[in-house]
Amino acid sequence: MVRVLVFGAWDDGVGYPRPRSLLRALNDTGHEVVAWRLPSTFAGQRRIDVVRRPWRWPAAAARVFAAGRRARTSFAAARAAVTPDVVVVPYPGHFMAPMVRSVFRGPIVLDLFLSAHDTAVEDRGYFGPRSLVARALAGIDRRACEAADLVLLDTPTHAQRVATTCGLPAGRVGWLPVGDPDAAAAAEPYPELAAPLRLLFFGTGVPLHGLPVLVEAVERCGGSVHLDVIGGSPAERRAIAARPSSCVTLGPAFVDRVPLQRAIAAAHVVCGVFGRSGKTARVIPFKVMHALAAGRPVLTGDTPAVREWMQPGHDVLVAPTDDAAALADTLQGLVREADTLPAIARAARAAYERRFSPEALADQCRALLAPLLGAHHAPDRRASVHA
């Protein structure tokens, strides 16, 4: 029986699908899985706030150091209780993976998921690419990756990028998509087609989403499409509120899963990402998986990551990124060919089942672990996960 210890201080709850889908995939591999979660030193938005304010780093480093000492003690207890064959460190594990490596000689899997450097420097533009802070963040990424025998990202394109920037051989970097651990067993019926075509955007408004590009494209369509916005950054919400439009409805800044699911079910098309950062080309955000699972056509940027997984025009709709005029042309084309959308909706759910469902992720996770564990470690019963 293979014993997998999932150890770290990951963010928990419905707003953090990556660790939840990773745990689900591990649980479904058939290995024995024990999850040992520590309190997070800087959870969620607090982590972002610390990263973007370098003058707070000395105090943050002291807290991280103290947390590291406690984590070392906790890992010793976890290791004694579990006797793991492999340790999996979920995101964010940039500091946890080196600590685990310092005391554990067995195989370590780090779910890097997001590069600290790419997120803060390239995607959000907090620091210049040649700044000392950028170099420090790249060093944090590199040391975390070097501590692991296998580093996981969410797409092959993203994995290749991290392998290049961190100097890792291809065999030490893999990919596991983000799943939707709360997806319904089946998609709801597609809504009746009627004018205007109803689009839905939801998300936090990070730059890769490209919400301003989407809003401008909708306004170019002369009322043939209507956009409902849930979320967006504070600045984006203020900009939309300052120029009221009959084509755009500004909804709540945040909704729970049930009302969000209702909004998705009512939409003819769910909007993905249209930003201009390099990260846009490398990832498939959770919002895309969420819409696919709901059986709704997704319109998103035409990127290498999307084309690796899906077939534009069949199970996903694509448009150029960072180009409101081209996106408006695509939207007007959808209005003219709206009768094709129900078939794309069915293909979208099939694509979810094929690529992003719990079963698909478990198969991928099992294949990723196999080379680390060796042929003699064949799983013989369903996993049990303990909080």
Side-chain angles (χ1 to χ4, degrees):
M1 168 58 65
V2 173
R3 295 184 180 91
V4 180
L5 172 61
V6 183
F7 185 87
W10 59 91
D11 297 324
D12 197 18
V14 295
Y16 302 99
R18 177 61 172 193
R20 295 178 65 227
S21 62
L22 174 64
L23 281 168
R24 171 78 179 267
L26 289 167
N27 190 42
D28 288 346
T29 59
H31 302 313
E32 180 180 356
V33 179
V34 176
W36 199 289
R37 180 173 174 266
L38 308 179
S40 177
T41 306
F42 300 104
Q45 183 61 43
R46 289 185 63 203
R47 183 165 57 248
I48 297 171
D49 292 341
V50 169
V51 167
R52 67 187 301 182
R53 294 173 172 85
W55 59 89
R56 295 177 57 185
W57 286 16
R63 292 188 62 184
V64 169
F65 179 76
R69 295 183 65 178
R70 294 191 296 271
R72 185 182 294 263
T73 300
S74 294
F75 182 75
R79 184 180 181 185
V82 178
T83 317
D85 297 295
V86 60
V87 175
V88 177
V89 180
Y91 173 83
H94 292 75
F95 297 104
M96 198 67 71
M99 184 283 296
V100 173
R101 173 54 71 208
S102 70
V103 294
F104 182 67
R105 296 298 100 190
I108 296 171
V109 178
L110 168 65
D111 185 26
L112 185 72
F113 185 48
L114 296 176
S115 156
H117 176 275
D118 281 4
T119 299
V121 176
E122 182 177 340
D123 185 41
R124 304 201 180 189
Y126 295 154
F127 314 105
R130 299 179 184 276
S131 66
L132 291 176
V133 174
R135 292 171 60 187
L137 292 171
I140 290 172
D141 285 335
R142 186 172 56 255
R143 284 188 292 273
C145 292
E146 289 172 349
D149 298 276
L150 178 64
V151 178
L152 296 182
L153 283 305
D154 56 337
T155 69
T157 303
H158 204 180
Q160 184 179 10
R161 160 77 174 188
V162 168
T164 300
T165 58
C166 292
L168 298 175
R172 284 182 57 190
V173 183
W175 47 268
L176 182 71
V178 180
D180 184 355
D182 300 310
E188 292 191 41
Y190 191 74
E192 182 179 355
L193 286 167
L197 198 68
R198 298 199 68 87
L199 314 178
L200 173 66
F201 170 93
F202 63 93
T204 57
V206 295
L208 71 90
H209 287 175
L211 178 56
V213 175
L214 175 61
V215 170
E216 181 182 343
V218 167
E219 291 177 342
R220 286 171 175 255
C221 291
S224 60
V225 299
H226 185 276
L227 174 65
D228 291 303
V229 176
I230 297 175
S233 72
E236 289 168 344
R237 293 180 62 81
R238 287 193 297 270
I240 293 172
R243 46 186 293 186
S245 168
S246 60
C247 302
V248 180
T249 298
L250 183 61
F254 175 80
V255 296
D256 291 327
R257 176 75 188 225
V258 172
L260 178 58
Q261 200 64 35
R262 287 198 295 265
I264 294 173
H268 295 123
V269 176
V270 175
C271 300
V273 297
F274 307 99
R276 62 174 172 268
S277 75
K279 187 176 177 181
T280 304
R282 295 192 293 271
V283 303
I284 301 180
F286 172 65
K287 59 189 294 185
V288 172
M289 254 71 72
H290 196 161
L292 295 175
R296 291 298 177 266
V298 175
L299 172 62
T300 192
D302 189 356
T303 67
V306 167
R307 287 185 175 270
E308 282 174 336
W309 292 91
M310 306 181 73
Q311 301 176 51
H314 173 67
D315 48 24
V316 69
L317 303 164
V318 297
T321 59
D322 195 32
D323 189 333
L327 180 55
D329 288 344
T330 300
L331 290 172
Q332 290 168 335
L334 293 182
V335 171
R336 291 191 297 270
E337 300 178 3
D339 58 342
T340 65
L341 292 175
I344 295 174
R346 292 189 294 272
R349 175 68 192 202
Y352 165 79
E353 296 286 356
R354 186 170 60 252
R355 295 289 195 179
F356 309 113
S357 66
E359 295 78 12
L361 267 61
D363 288 344
Q364 178 72 1
C365 200
R366 195 179 296 112
L368 289 164
L369 291 178
L372 299 178
L373 297 170
H376 62 287
H377 276 136
D380 57 14
R381 70 180 177 86
R382 186 175 176 83
S384 59
V385 174
H386 311 281

